[in-house]
Amino acid sequence: MWISVLGATFATADDWPRFRGDNGSGISDSSDIPSEWTESNYRWVADLPGRGNSSPVVWSEHVYVTAAKDAAGQRYLICLDKSTGEELWRAEDGFAKHKTHKNNSFASSTPAVDDDHVYQLWHSTEATSLIAYSHGGDEVWRYELGGYKHGQGGATSPIVAGNLVVVAHDHKDDSYLLAVDHRSGQPVWKIPREGKRACYSTPCVRKTDRGSDEIVFVHCYEGVIGVDAASGKQRWHIDPFGRESQRALSSPIVAGDLVFAGSGAAGGERHLVAIRVEDQGGTATASEAYHLTRQSPHVPSPLVIGDRLYQWNDGGIATCCELSTGEVIWQKRVGGNFFASPIAIGDRIFNIDTTGEVVVIAAADDFKVLARNPMGESSRASLATSEDVLFIRTDTKLFAVAGK
């Protein structure tokens, strides 16, 4: 592991600290990112030491991204200077190459970051590790979760919720939900799961009526639950997806009193459920507000902008719905195949298809494709932004795109 000493890091309003940014919402504060660009808009392009499906995250002046060299059995957490793309350090972690899905990678988990550390989850059939690194690249602590027993490999990502680092370790055997102290790596709570099915959904946080944090977890067969972050006690549960063969791959988001959660199958029915959560003092109840299946996504996560719900499915069909009812306003074919989840920049929606083409559409009641930007290399990683810069991760490169 090569280390350099960096100064103290403090949060800014432009951080993108986890998969899909603030609370997984996919909403960017940037405004001057262009819809269409050429190479003249590249602030920098960084070569990565291997492949990966993980997304970049941003904290203060640093960008963090992962990559893996499959044949060499090496995985890397890489820290880049946000302004220049210069590599500041990389942390290496070895692994034994194992079976994984052809669309997966050995670097699919997106890091999470806070003022103190960068948190990386490395899945492996023999030993899965949650590791905290300082912003200077030193390993601070490591928590061993046990092997990840599923032939398609791992892909879920950790999140930071207050003083906790939270992981959904859902797979075939010894499944559980975990929260560890962000400073020490010591477990705070651990909730056993039945382990019926591997799911890759990354959790999010819901604020209760008392202002406390509640962690929302999604599983195809265990349903959707809200867990009190401090105690690990379940506050509510709903089981909306049925029992046909499926997986929960997309990640939940919160919009007002609604939680949106998805599950489905590549070749079968796909569900996106709007769940209304009502707090009742120390407890809560959850009920299904509406349930969408027509052209709902399997892997990409949903997006809420104002009073509209947007879905962007794996086969390149985008849908705009009325947020309160789920009524479809439009449903149009964008084209392409998508594993990445859409993000919103102002009144525009950006997503990247598997060929590496970034498609931009209007977030409006009239469907309109604004631009198509080929990046020249395949991608399955969701986009990130910070300070009017768009970060695009392809198989072996990271691009920083900005206005002229």
Side-chain angles (χ1 to χ4, degrees):
M1 180 169 65
W2 181 78
I3 301 295
S4 70
V5 179
L6 305 177
T9 304
F10 302 96
T12 71
D14 292 292
D15 295 327
W16 192 268
R18 53 152 286 176
F19 173 68
R20 291 191 91 210
D22 184 33
N23 203 27
S25 66
I27 303 295
S28 170
D29 291 331
S30 300
S31 58
D32 291 335
I33 292 170
S35 295
E36 195 167 12
W37 55 81
T38 65
E39 290 186 10
S40 65
N41 294 103
Y42 295 170
R43 180 169 292 182
W44 48 260
V45 181
D47 291 320
L48 302 178
R51 293 181 58 254
N53 293 348
S54 66
S55 300
V57 296
V58 184
W59 192 262
S60 188
E61 297 306 312
H62 303 147
V63 180
Y64 300 96
V65 68
T66 69
K69 283 185 178 177
D70 299 3
Q74 289 292 323
R75 298 192 276 206
Y76 310 95
L77 172 65
I78 303 147
C79 175
L80 304 173
D81 183 280
K82 184 172 74 173
S83 297
T84 66
E86 176 190 1
E87 183 176 320
L88 301 175
W89 55 261
R90 69 174 67 175
E92 299 184 13
D93 207 78
F95 72 101
K97 188 175 178 181
H98 53 272
K99 182 181 177 183
T100 189
H101 193 277
K102 64 180 181 180
N103 292 323
N104 203 353
S105 76
F106 293 107
S108 290
S109 179
T110 296
V113 61
D114 64 13
D115 241 2
D116 296 299
H117 303 130
V118 189
Y119 308 94
Q120 179 58 36
L121 184 63
W122 289 128
H123 292 94
S124 175
T125 55
E126 296 180 353
T128 296
S129 303
L130 176 64
I131 310 168
Y133 295 96
S134 73
H135 286 280
D138 293 302
E139 183 176 320
V140 179
W141 54 256
R142 180 181 291 242
Y143 185 94
E144 297 296 345
L145 286 79
Y148 191 83
K149 307 297 184 184
H150 182 60
Q152 293 185 358
T156 191
S157 302
I159 68 166
V160 178
N163 294 326
L164 302 175
V165 184
V166 179
V167 174
H169 193 55
D170 281 317
H171 60 127
K172 284 189 175 181
D173 302 306
D174 192 25
S175 294
Y176 53 85
L177 310 177
L178 175 72
V180 302
D181 182 87
H182 76 134
R183 291 187 183 273
S184 67
Q186 294 299 308
V188 176
W189 45 260
K190 187 175 180 180
I191 304 171
R193 304 273 259 186
E194 292 187 23
K196 295 176 181 177
R197 193 86 165 153
C199 290
Y200 300 151
S201 179
T202 294
C204 68
V205 177
R206 191 186 78 91
K207 287 288 185 183
T208 71
D209 60 345
R210 295 182 173 182
S212 59
D213 284 346
E214 181 182 273
I215 315 298
V216 177
F217 296 95
V218 182
H219 187 278
C220 55
Y221 296 156
E222 307 248 7
V224 187
I225 65 171
V227 173
D228 179 71
S231 66
K233 292 183 179 178
Q234 181 175 299
R235 299 187 72 244
W236 54 268
H237 171 250
I238 188 169
D239 187 5
F241 301 127
R243 288 296 179 272
E244 73 267 18
S245 180
Q246 57 179 297
R247 299 188 194 282
L249 303 184
S250 68
S251 296
I253 59 172
V254 176
D257 65 345
L258 294 176
V259 172
F260 290 90
S263 182
E269 194 166 59
R270 303 169 185 180
H271 310 262
L272 182 67
V273 181
I275 301 162
R276 178 163 285 109
V277 181
E278 298 180 81
D279 291 298
Q280 300 170 338
T283 62
T285 58
S287 59
E288 187 176 301
Y290 55 87
H291 194 138
L292 305 174
T293 56
R294 187 171 178 265
Q295 302 297 347
S296 289
H298 181 40
V299 179
S301 303
L303 184 65
V304 170
I305 307 170
D307 59 359
R308 295 293 182 260
L309 165 69
Y310 294 91
Q311 302 180 81
W312 194 312
N313 79 8
D314 313 53
I317 295 177
T319 305
C320 172
C321 299
E322 170 68 43
L323 176 64
S324 60
T325 64
E327 180 181 353
V328 174
I329 296 170
W330 54 255
Q331 189 167 83
K332 300 291 184 179
R333 182 174 295 279
V334 176
N337 294 293
F338 293 82
F339 285 82
S341 296
I343 67 169
I345 302 174
D347 58 358
R348 299 165 296 159
I349 301 173
F350 290 62
N351 205 357
I352 186 168
D353 74 5
T354 55
T355 70
E357 181 177 72
V358 180
V359 184
V360 185
I361 66 173
D365 287 353
D366 293 313
F367 173 74
K368 184 178 182 180
V369 175
L370 302 176
R372 296 179 183 271
N373 302 280
M375 301 307 298
E377 191 175 61
S378 61
S379 177
R380 289 176 171 82
S382 298
L383 308 172
T385 74
S386 175
E387 293 186 308
D388 294 327
V389 179
L390 178 66
F391 296 96
I392 304 168
R393 192 259 170 81
T394 61
D395 267 358
T396 64
K397 297 181 185 297
L398 183 63
F399 296 81
V401 174
K404 293 183 179 179

